Amino acid sequence: MSQDTDLHDNPSLDPTGERCDLVIRGQRVLTTAGIRPREVGVRNGVVVALQPLGNGLVGDEVVELADDETLIPGLVDTHVHVNEPGRTEWEGFASATRAAAAGGVTTIVDMPLNSIPPTVDIDALNVKRSVARDQVHVDVGFWGGAIPGNTGDLRALHDAGVFGFKSFLLHSGVDEFPPLDPDELEKDMRELASFDSVMIVHAEDSRAIDRAPSPEGDDYSKFLASRPRGAENLAIAEVIERARWTGGRAHILHLSSSDALPMLRSAKHDGLRLTVETCPHYLTLTSEEIPAGATQFKCCPPIREAGNREMLWQGLEDGTIDFIVSDHSPSTIDLKDLENGDFAVAWGGVSSLQLGLSLIWTEARQRGIALETVVSWMSDRPAQFAGLTGKGRIAPGYSADFAVFAADDAYVVDVKKLHHKNQLTPYNGRALSGVVRTTYLHGLVVDGVEPRGRLVRRGMTD
């Protein structure tokens, strides 16, 4: 990728007749019509022109993409646990957003739990925003939380700009974010339906897990048996029916059980306002490959068998699963209990925020899935789901958030080179295809030094 800030050949201005701040030219620009030879003109952080290559858009800075580079829209990750404040030793806004940018992610939406206080009322939201504001390297939005007793706080949080509300149907892992029972879930879904917000649900049934075998020691198969597919299936069925009864919007987080795909497909066919996500770890890892004591692989719901993984890919391709997000949920290394490798006591969460695009592209290309499709799953679709207007596409009027992606380049994951605060990931040593060479936020290169990210609300920025 070369730069030329002094271009005068074949001058052409954007349709407004003004000079651009930045022009990016390349043979491979991912537009809404596919990958095409294009020139992208940017002014004041927004795409103002998208013209055929050779039109000679004029800019104060002109970037020429290398032949092996594709300009793609910045990814949108709507499922990230930043954990600050309160558990900033697990992760924080500065480290998380550096990692995001290094992986081509230009917008994240932070989950309401694992931070202290959790984002379950306006005061807590204001605390989180004040902590984040001056240290983010990508744009950051926030989910609210739905817990027993805070139904009266939901509308105020919505009006303050949260993107929706997260709930659990079993213990969340932290005591300050208790679960809803199904009737409480329905009550809150009715409340959210009154102002057209969405309930996003960690769907595992506590009763089924209480009756499952207990996880023991370093044997992953015993941990897997302790979080059976049936627990997920029951909880998803519960969410579907409560969505049917209330007419509200519902979203299934981190789908792991492929058994649930038929009922999800049926619910969508019935016209329910239902969306579904899954995550890189369910699409790239298999339970059969997890070594004894390798607690860096522990997450809930769990990584399942190879056959289950293939069915999830089919669910993506047929549209039952809407998009892919990280569920980046790190902790300090000691909480992973590496010394003992005990899956029963280790914190459940996979660190992958920086790696998602390469992980999914590595798997997808082997299945003959185009880069355009992968980027749609990881950018445009999650942006649309969350109501992040102006994100997820390279098109006039959209934010100039881009990643320069070398799809045929390759690397081996070195955990010491990741920006995650705690250097632990199940992908360490894994060979991956596709390298993010540069990330742009609002038309400026993200350098990881000067935090230029903004705090975003539904349809606006702070």
Side-chain angles (χ1 to χ4, degrees):
M1 182 172 66
S2 64
Q3 296 186 359
D4 177 0
T5 59
D6 228 38
L7 182 76
H8 298 291
D9 298 335
N10 189 22
S12 174
L13 302 176
D14 73 70
T16 67
E18 297 182 47
R19 187 181 181 95
C20 297
D21 303 327
L22 168 69
V23 172
I24 301 179
R25 297 170 164 166
Q27 293 289 337
R28 297 179 55 81
V29 175
L30 180 48
T31 72
T32 55
I35 295 175
R36 299 287 189 272
R38 290 289 185 268
E39 301 184 358
V40 183
V42 175
R43 190 168 54 252
N44 298 325
V46 176
V47 176
V48 294
L50 188 62
Q51 297 190 7
L53 187 63
N55 276 20
L57 282 175
V58 172
D60 295 333
E61 179 183 10
V62 176
V63 174
E64 303 276 358
L65 298 178
D67 289 343
D68 68 338
E69 294 175 339
T70 304
L71 189 71
I72 64 173
L75 305 188
V76 175
D77 192 336
T78 56
H79 195 150
V80 179
H81 294 270
V82 177
N83 307 323
E84 185 176 10
R87 292 189 176 92
T88 310
E89 68 275 13
W90 293 18
E91 191 68 277
F93 285 105
S95 55
T97 55
R98 281 193 193 96
V105 178
T106 52
T107 306
I108 65 171
V109 187
D110 173 57
M111 282 291 163
L113 73 157
N114 298 348
S115 58
I116 302 173
T119 316
V120 295
D121 55 40
I122 287 291
D123 288 344
L125 176 64
N126 290 337
V127 167
K128 186 165 282 196
R129 282 183 168 150
S130 67
V131 168
R133 180 163 284 110
D134 296 324
Q135 58 169 330
V136 294
H137 296 275
V138 302
D139 286 355
V140 178
F142 301 95
W143 294 107
I147 62 172
N150 84 325
T151 305
D153 294 296
L154 302 181
R155 181 59 191 258
L157 282 165
H158 172 79
D159 290 345
V162 301
F163 287 88
F165 296 88
K166 177 164 188 184
S167 62
F168 279 75
L169 293 176
L170 79 172
H171 193 279
S172 69
V174 292
D175 291 338
E176 67 274 5
F177 199 96
L180 300 176
D181 66 34
D183 289 340
E184 291 170 326
L185 177 73
E186 181 181 343
K187 176 185 176 182
D188 284 353
M189 287 178 72
R190 289 190 187 281
E191 173 70 8
L192 298 190
S194 72
F195 46 87
D196 199 31
S197 189
V198 60
M199 181 69 84
I200 65 174
V201 187
H202 181 123
E204 287 182 286
D205 185 88
S206 60
R207 299 160 299 177
I209 288 176
D210 287 345
R211 291 174 178 242
S214 298
E216 296 177 14
D218 66 357
D219 186 341
Y220 183 80
S221 66
K222 292 182 178 179
F223 168 67
L224 184 59
S226 77
R227 312 289 292 217
R229 295 190 204 195
E232 221 177 328
N233 303 337
L234 275 171
I236 289 171
E238 191 81 68
V239 173
I240 288 171
E241 293 313 306
R242 305 289 170 153
R244 193 186 308 276
W245 301 342
T246 63
R249 292 173 60 202
H251 176 74
I252 303 300
L253 295 164
H254 44 50
L255 179 68
S256 159
S257 171
S258 63
D259 291 352
L261 289 168
M263 63 174 154
L264 290 166
R265 193 175 295 119
S266 176
K268 288 188 168 195
H269 184 266
D270 288 347
L272 270 64
R273 303 170 72 197
L274 182 70
T275 48
V276 185
E277 70 182 39
T278 193
C279 307
H281 36 282
Y282 304 127
L283 297 167
T284 65
L285 302 173
T286 65
S287 60
E288 294 92 336
E289 299 170 338
I290 297 177
T295 53
Q296 63 268 35
F297 289 83
K298 179 182 175 180
C299 57
C300 299
I303 296 158
R304 302 192 188 277
E305 302 85 356
N308 183 86
R309 178 184 68 177
E310 297 311 305
M311 293 294 289
L312 292 178
W313 276 102
Q314 291 177 30
L316 269 167
E317 292 191 73
D318 69 23
T320 306
I321 301 172
D322 294 275
F323 54 84
I324 304 168
V325 287
S326 70
D327 190 11
H328 178 69
S329 185
S331 70
T332 54
I333 292 176
D334 62 295
L335 290 178
K336 277 294 191 178
D337 194 44
L338 294 177
E339 183 176 346
N340 300 310
D342 189 343
F343 286 100
V345 301
W347 175 258
V350 169
S351 292
S352 66
L353 181 56
Q354 187 170 332
L355 302 171
L357 178 56
S358 298
L359 287 165
I360 296 302
W361 174 235
T362 301
E363 292 287 332
R365 70 188 310 183
Q366 295 174 4
R367 292 170 165 77
I369 298 170
L371 179 61
E372 298 97 307
T373 302
V374 168
V375 174
S376 177
W377 286 334
M378 303 185 76
S379 186
D380 183 39
R381 290 189 187 179
Q384 289 188 45
F385 157 71
L388 278 157
T389 55
K391 301 282 190 181
R393 299 180 184 179
I394 300 177
Y398 278 70
S399 183
D401 302 342
F402 314 128
V404 178
F405 187 60
D408 295 327
D409 208 346
Y411 67 103
V412 174
V413 177
D414 179 352
V415 71
K416 294 180 180 178
K417 295 181 180 178
L418 300 180
H419 293 282
H420 307 157
K421 181 169 286 188
N422 289 280
Q423 295 183 329
L424 184 70
T425 179
Y427 301 107
N428 191 37
R430 193 178 184 95
L432 299 179
S433 297
V435 173
V436 174
R437 292 183 178 165
T438 311
T439 300
Y440 290 84
L441 182 71
H442 306 299
L444 299 173
V445 173
V446 181
D447 60 11
V449 177
E450 181 180 352
R452 298 193 181 102
R454 304 173 185 178
L455 304 187
V456 295
R457 309 176 189 221
R458 289 184 328 279
M460 65 186 76
T461 58
D462 282 5

